[in-house]
Amino acid sequence: FVMGEFRFHMTLTGRLPPADAKRFSTALEKLFDPAKIGPVTIDAICVFRQDTPDNDLTLLKRCCFRNA
């Protein structure tokens, strides 16, 4: 949560083996289906860094989209 407001973020990781990817994809779709809110406007993408698991995330770059 940022200033009391949820901000979607996606953590990038390495590839999962195909069998695991399918299993996780199916489970996550079922879990998050009730939370679907329809189309979402994305006005920027941010890149963060976390030096160690105990550290806070640090903003490295915010890339704003012009027509969002």
Side-chain angles (χ1 to χ4, degrees):
F1 291 87
V2 176
M3 297 166 56
E5 185 176 330
F6 176 76
R7 303 282 178 143
F8 172 80
H9 75 278
M10 185 182 330
T11 301
L12 303 176
T13 63
R15 289 183 177 257
L16 293 173
D20 289 341
K22 178 64 176 166
R23 184 169 51 99
F24 280 104
S25 176
T26 300
L28 291 171
E29 285 175 12
K30 183 178 179 181
L31 178 68
F32 288 107
D33 189 58
K36 287 183 182 174
I37 59 172
V40 175
T41 300
I42 298 173
D43 64 351
I45 292 178
C46 297
V47 178
F48 290 85
R49 178 180 178 153
Q50 186 178 26
D51 292 324
T52 67
D54 295 337
N55 284 20
D56 291 335
L57 296 173
T58 302
L59 177 64
L60 294 180
K61 179 81 175 177
R62 177 180 169 90
C63 302
C64 296
F65 300 125
R66 292 182 183 177
N67 296 322

